[in-house]
Amino acid sequence: MIDSVDRMMRIGELAKRAKVTPRTVRYYESLGLIPPGEREGSGQHRYPEQTVARLQKIDQLKALGLSLEEIGKVIHLYFDDPSGKKAKTKVLEMLRGHLAETEAQLISLKQFRSEVLGHIKRFERWFETKA
Amino acid sequence: MIDSVDRMMRIGELAKRAKVTPRTVRYYESLGLIPPGEREGSGQHRYPEQTVARLQKIDQLKALGLSLEEIGKVIHLYFDDPSGKKAKTKVLEMLRGHLAETEAQLISLKQFRSEVLGHIKRFERWFETKA
DNA sequence: CATGAAGTTTACGTTCACGTCACCTTTTGA
DNA sequence: TCAAAAGGTGACGTGAACGTAAACTTCATG
């Protein structure tokens, strides 16, 4: 347990495991999306296991169409273990807001889908009348 | 008929009629999306009536979500092939591609929604056990 | 201990679809 | 005729998310 808890890795391994490039890791770190890797005096960073999951979560959120800036506003909710009622209340608030945004996105995405489908159907009808 | 056939206009009029800016006209021309306006020795361009329709068609395709690069691959079909069948077939292909992306996004967005709902429920349970 | 792989910082390059000067030439209208 | 309006060209700006090169330091291995 002790080993698995404080096993640290350097940027190359972290990047490979999260399927991103070291450049991306540094970029995200500069944006504060992932916690700064501890420096071992030598200047090299050391990252904990958890950071892999964090990078993967960022990737998931990106796939949802969120910008890195938007991700920055919510990513900590996934990894900070908030203590105290105030903190949790606030997290809950933010989650609800996040959910609302997600619902809104769902709606507009469905809207967009039906538009595209409409275009396709018009094309299909056009082909029928011509065939 | 003769008049309407070779009535030529300068970039300002063209732009106004197509509801774009002269900058956009030049940009599209540089990309080959519209045929180069004839130069009258003075260096000024003269565009035929048809170019208005071409700009409008570009706008329509943009509204469908096609990039200017994608539009470049099909726009000539609308004006070379009078039936427009080839063009529409190709646009249809592209739209299907876009639709596939949209569907994929919808799926992951729904997944994400249920994750967020899970978080909220966990918080609610936490509040219940504490209240 | 020597070397090559890996890591660090700095900083410019890239894509998209134009906007916005700047500076010069041509056209138009009173 | 002469100033204002319009046009032409070149080049830099925008914003997001990194890629890539350069020049140097540190790590790991035979």
Side-chain angles (χ1 to χ4, degrees), chain B residues 40-69:
Chain B
E40 301 232 313
S42 68
Q44 301 210 347
H45 297 87
R46 296 289 171 158
Y47 303 89
E49 187 67 29
Q50 201 192 24
T51 305
V52 176
R54 190 143 175 156
L55 287 170
Q56 288 168 345
K57 179 57 74 178
I58 291 171
D59 217 50
Q60 284 173 33
L61 295 177
K62 272 191 18 174
L64 296 180
L66 301 196
S67 68
L68 293 186
E69 193 180 351

Side-chain angles (χ1 to χ4, degrees), chain A residues 20-68:
Chain A
V20 296
T21 66
R23 175 70 175 96
T24 299
V25 172
R26 295 196 182 100
Y27 183 52
Y28 288 177
E29 191 168 335
S30 79
L31 296 181
L33 296 187
I34 61 174
E38 302 170 19
R39 324 289 284 249
E40 300 233 315
S42 69
Q44 300 208 347
H45 298 86
R46 297 288 171 161
Y47 302 90
E49 186 67 30
Q50 201 191 24
T51 305
V52 175
R54 189 144 175 156
L55 287 169
Q56 287 168 347
K57 179 57 74 179
I58 291 172
D59 217 50
Q60 283 174 34
L61 296 177
K62 272 190 24 175
L64 299 178
L66 301 197
S67 69
L68 294 186

Side-chain angles (χ1 to χ4, degrees), chain A residues 63-102:
Chain A
L64 299 178
L66 301 197
S67 69
L68 294 186
E69 193 179 351
E70 289 174 308
I71 291 171
K73 293 175 185 166
V74 298
I75 187 66
H76 70 280
L77 300 181
Y78 290 93
F79 296 91
D80 291 359
D81 188 357
S83 56
K85 193 175 178 181
K86 271 189 200 168
K88 291 192 177 179
T89 303
K90 194 162 188 188
V91 166
L92 184 51
E93 259 176 50
M94 295 183 74
L95 280 179
R96 290 217 152 102
H98 202 186
L99 179 63
E101 283 175 27
T102 302

